[in-house]
Amino acid sequence: MKKFILYSALLFAFNADAQDKSVDLSGFKKNGSEVIVEQKIITLTWPAGNNQTARMLIDLGKDNPLLKSIQLGKKKVYKEIGSDLDPAFVLTVGKRTLDPSSGGWDVFFDRVPKKPFHSYPVSVNKQDAKVTTNGQQTIVSISGASADRFKGTIEITLYNGSPLFNVAAVLTTQIDSTAILYDAGLVNKKALWRSMAWANVRNQLQHVTPAATDTSRNLEVKYRTIIGENPGGSLALFPAPHQYFYPLDEAFNLKFTWYGKNFHKLIAGFGMGIRQDPYGDNRYVPWFNAPPETQQRLNFFCLIDQGNADSALAEVKKFTHDDAYKAVPGYKTLATHFHNEFISEVALSGKPIPEKPEFVDVLKKHGLDIVKLAEFHGPGHPKGPDKDRLNELSTLFEQTKRLSDNEFLLLPGEEANNFYGGHWLAFFPKPVYWVMSRKPTEAFVTEDPKLGKIYHVGNKDEMLKLLEMEKGLAWTAHARTKGSTGYPDAYKDQTFFKSDTFLGAAWKAIPADLSIPTLSQRVLKLMDDMANWGLKKQVISESDIFTITHQNEMYAHLNVNYLEMDKLPNYEQGWKSVLDAMRNGKFFVSTGEVLIPSFNINGKKSGQTLTLPKNGNVKVKITLDWTFPMKFVDVISGDGREIYRERINLNDTQAFNKKTFSWPINLTGRKWVRLEAWDIAANGAFTQMIWIDK
C-alpha cells in the first residue's frame, strides 16, 4: 500500500473495490493544511490555533460512517474527540407563495406550513470526492447527495487557525416556488458520546448520560449549541447564529437543538444536532426561499475542544461575544422596532408595574445602549379619543424616562402607519404629544397647561409639518415586504419622502435564502436604488419583534446600529444627538460578529461628501473586527443609473482578529459609494453612503 503526502495539485484514483471513486486534488494548494489519501480514507490535518493541530479522517467506503475520526492534538500527539459519525440532514419542502402583490420572493406574509409539505432525509451515495483550498480554508466536496427534487454534494470546510469546521449539504432544485427548512446533525454509528451537554435558558449547563434507546428529544437551549463529551474532549455543534433563523414576528425559543435516536422518524441511529419548528410562531411563517438553480447550503458548525463541555461552550460563545454586542470606543449601540407593548399590556392594564421589567434586563444583557420602541402597534388609540391617546403617550414617556439611566436609554417611538402609505416609523428627539387624526374644527396645534403642545395630524402634509417643527424622523419599516410591499417606491417622488425628515428605510433579514453568502439584500438593494434616485437617504437596522424574554432566542433575531457618539444623552434633556447621528449617516449596521470601527475613502467618512481627483482613483481604508473568519468585502457604488459591485476576497483571514485594510479603487463617474463586510457564517456589517461630488 502506498501513501502519498500531497501539497500540490494531484489526482489520486482509487483501485481495487474503489475503482468507481476518485479524489480530485487538482484544486488543493499548500496553505498550512495537509492531506493524505490512502485507498478509501482521506486524512486532513489543519493548524487549529493555540499551537494545536486538528485532524479529520473521511471514509468514502460505501457502508462506513463518513467521519471516521475527529482529533485534536499538540506536537502530533492527538486525542480523539469523536469517531464513526455520519452527517445527517432532513430537508422539509413546501410551497412558496409568489404573488407580486405580496413581494414575490421577498414575501413575508406567507404561511408555508398551512399548505402541504413533506420532509425527506438527505441520502448520500458517496461518489467522487474533491479537495480544494480557498485561502485559509480547506474544502472536501463529496458528490451523490439527494433529497426528493434536490440534488448536490456534501461539503466539509476546515478553517486554519481554529478547531472549527462546517458541514453542509449543498443542494439544488429545478422546481419553482419552493420554500424549505432543514434539520441537521451528526449520527453515531458505533459508540455513543459519554455525555450530552447544553446550557438551558437560565444559562445553567446541563448533562445527561445518553443511552442507545433514548428516543430523540428536542431541547430549549441557550447559545443554540448541543455538545457531545468524550474522554478525549468535546464537540460542540451549532448553527450560523443569524442565518439559520428565518424571519418571524416572535423570537420564541422553539427548541432548536436535539439529541437521541430516530430523529424526525427519518434519521436512524443516535445523533445530535439542530432543528427548526415548521410552524414557527404560528403567525406568518415564510421559511427559506429556494429559487430554481440556486445552491442551498444546509449547514452547521462544529468546534472541537480537548476539555469538557464547559470549555467547548466557552469557545463557542466567543463567536457571538456571549450573545452581546461588543462595545466599540466612540460608538453607542442602538436597536429599533420592538413591539413589546409594555405600556398597553402592563402599565395601563391594571397589573403591578415591575420595578425592573424583564424586557429591559434582556436588552441590557445583549449589550444595547439605546432601544427605540414601537408601541401601540395594534393596541392603543393612535387616532383618539384624545383622553385615551394622551394618557397612553404620557404613560409611555413616564415609563421610558423611569427605565432610562446614564448607561441605558429607552426611547419612545411608534410604527405610525398613517398618512404616508405602507408601514413607517416615527421618532422624535423628545416626548411629543400628537394624535393621528384631526377634526375640521380642531387646530393643528394647541397648548395644554400640563402637557404643553398637542398636535392633531390629519394628512401627510401636516405629518411632514409636525416632523419639521419637532425635528423628528420617519422611515419605511420593512421596505418592499410585509405591510410595506411596494413602498417606498410608490411615494419616492412625493415631497415628504424627499424631505430631510424622511431618513430612508430599515433593514432586517427578510427574506431568508441559504444560497447567498450574506443575509437579506432586499433593503440593501433599496439603499442603492434610493441613492441612484438622487436622494441622500440612510438605512438603519430593525428587529421588528414582539415578546422579549430571557427564555427567547433573542440574539438570532437581533441586529444593531453602532452610532458615532461618545456618550449617551440624558433623557430629560432630549436625545437629539441620537437622531443627528442617524440623519447624518454617522453609523454602521452590524449583526454583532463583524464590526467596522473605522472607514473612510480619501479621508471622507460615511455621510460626508468626497471630491474625486481627475483620474477618479481613491483609496478605501477600513478597519474590521471579527470573530468567524471573514469572507469578503463588497465595495458598492452607483452613477445614478447603474450599480457597481467590486468584491475583495478575504479568504486568507482566520477567526478572531482586527485589522485595517486599504485598497485602491476607481470611482470615475460615480455619485456614491458604500461598503459591506461578510464572514463565513453570513454575519456582516455595512456602512452608510459616502456621497461623491465631481
Side-chain angles (χ1 to χ4, degrees), residues 221-249:
V221 309
K222 195 169 177 62
Y223 307 114
R224 305 157 296 281
T225 302
I226 181 80
I227 304 167
E229 284 184 316
N230 273 337
S234 302
L235 184 148
L237 190 156
F238 56 99
H242 302 281
Q243 182 197 47
Y244 186 60
F245 298 85
Y246 62 87
L248 293 170
D249 283 332

Side-chain angles (χ1 to χ4, degrees), residues 161 169 185 300 314 593:
F300 60 89
E593 300 78 9

Side-chain angles (χ1 to χ4, degrees), residues 528 532 634-646 668-670 672-674:
D528 302 335
N532 268 356
D634 274 353
V635 181
I636 305 105
S637 60
D639 60 9
R641 299 177 304 278
E642 301 294 326
I643 296 166
Y644 306 87
R645 187 177 293 264
E646 182 171 331
T668 298
R670 309 300 162 79
W672 53 267
V673 60
R674 66 179 183 88

Side-chain angles (χ1 to χ4, degrees), residues 16 225 336 387 447 465 582:
T225 302
T336 74
K387 179 181 177 182
E447 286 286 341
K465 185 177 180 181
M582 295 167 60

Side-chain angles (χ1 to χ4, degrees), residues 340-347 353-354 357 359 375 399 402-403:
N340 194 46
E341 303 300 353
F342 178 74
I343 303 306
S344 296
E345 296 180 9
V346 179
I353 301 176
F359 83 94
E375 292 286 278
Q399 290 298 319
R402 178 180 74 86
L403 296 169

Side-chain angles (χ1 to χ4, degrees), residues 211-217 259-262:
T213 55
D214 289 344
T215 301
S216 176
R217 58 180 290 206
Y259 81 89
K261 71 167 188 175
N262 199 24

Side-chain angles (χ1 to χ4, degrees), residues 311-600:
S311 176
L313 183 58
E315 294 302 310
V316 171
K317 289 161 60 177
K318 290 178 182 178
F319 285 101
T320 59
H321 305 296
D322 289 2
D323 280 11
Y325 291 95
K326 179 181 176 179
V328 177
Y331 290 86
K332 298 297 179 185
T333 55
L334 163 71
T336 74
H337 203 155
F338 295 95
H339 299 303
N340 194 46
E341 303 300 353
F342 178 74
I343 303 306
S344 296
E345 296 180 9
V346 179
L348 293 174
S349 68
K351 299 176 184 177
I353 301 176
E355 179 66 24
K356 296 181 179 180
E358 181 181 15
F359 83 94
V360 173
D361 189 48
V362 171
L363 297 171
K364 285 182 176 180
K365 286 187 175 179
H366 281 297
L368 300 178
D369 302 316
I370 311 166
V371 171
K372 179 199 173 296
L373 299 176
E375 292 286 278
F376 314 128
H377 186 60
H381 303 81
K383 296 184 178 181
D386 282 12
K387 179 181 177 182
D388 295 324
R389 169 65 171 171
L390 298 178
N391 184 46
E392 288 163 357
L393 288 176
S394 180
T395 306
L396 172 63
F397 302 149
E398 175 188 351
Q399 290 298 319
T400 50
K401 176 183 174 182
R402 178 180 74 86
L403 296 169
S404 296
D405 54 37
N406 59 2
E407 294 182 347
F408 180 76
L409 202 57
L410 185 65
L411 298 180
E414 296 180 78
E415 187 174 354
N417 302 345
N418 283 299
F419 314 121
Y420 284 170
H423 287 200
W424 58 278
L425 279 87
F427 193 24
F428 294 100
K430 63 180 181 179
V432 172
Y433 288 92
W434 63 298
V435 183
M436 300 182 201
S437 66
R438 184 173 69 82
K439 298 174 184 177
T441 57
E442 286 181 313
F444 170 64
V445 58
T446 58
E447 286 286 341
D448 182 274
K450 181 179 179 181
L451 302 179
K453 288 183 180 179
I454 298 175
Y455 296 90
H456 286 81
V457 179
N459 55 51
K460 62 185 178 183
D461 294 329
E462 292 175 351
M463 187 69 236
L464 173 57
K465 185 177 180 181
L466 169 60
L467 289 167
E468 289 174 338
M469 291 176 65
E470 293 294 346
K471 296 180 173 56
L473 286 175
W475 60 87
T476 309
H478 40 75
R480 293 178 171 174
T481 191
K482 300 182 79 171
S484 294
T485 301
Y487 297 97
D489 306 68
Y491 51 60
K492 70 183 180 69
D493 295 321
Q494 296 198 28
T495 301
F496 71 81
F497 184 71
K498 292 183 175 181
S499 162
D500 289 342
T501 67
F502 208 97
L503 180 73
W507 175 86
K508 177 180 176 174
I510 306 173
D513 187 333
L514 298 164
S515 70
I516 62 176
T518 72
L519 297 180
S520 172
Q521 291 284 318
R522 170 185 52 91
V523 172
L524 296 175
K525 291 177 181 177
L526 170 63
M527 188 179 189
D528 302 335
D529 288 342
M530 290 189 295
N532 268 356
W533 295 342
L535 303 173
K536 292 186 176 181
K537 302 298 181 184
Q538 318 294 346
V539 165
I540 66 165
S541 70
E542 64 179 353
S543 294
D544 193 9
I545 50 179
F546 288 72
T547 313
I548 302 172
T549 70
H550 286 295
Q551 183 180 15
N552 279 3
E553 177 46 70
M554 292 296 301
Y555 184 75
H557 295 275
L558 288 177
N559 46 56
V560 78
N561 304 280
Y562 277 85
L563 305 185
E564 225 179 305
M565 299 173 60
D566 291 324
K567 64 179 182 178
L568 287 181
N570 180 278
Y571 187 101
E572 292 190 35
Q573 296 174 356
W575 44 93
K576 179 178 177 294
S577 58
V578 174
L579 277 73
D580 285 347
M582 295 167 60
R583 182 181 281 111
N584 295 323
K586 297 175 65 174
F587 65 97
F588 68 88
V589 172
S590 174
T591 59
E593 300 78 9
V594 181
L595 303 174
I596 308 177
S598 67
F599 159 62
N600 72 77

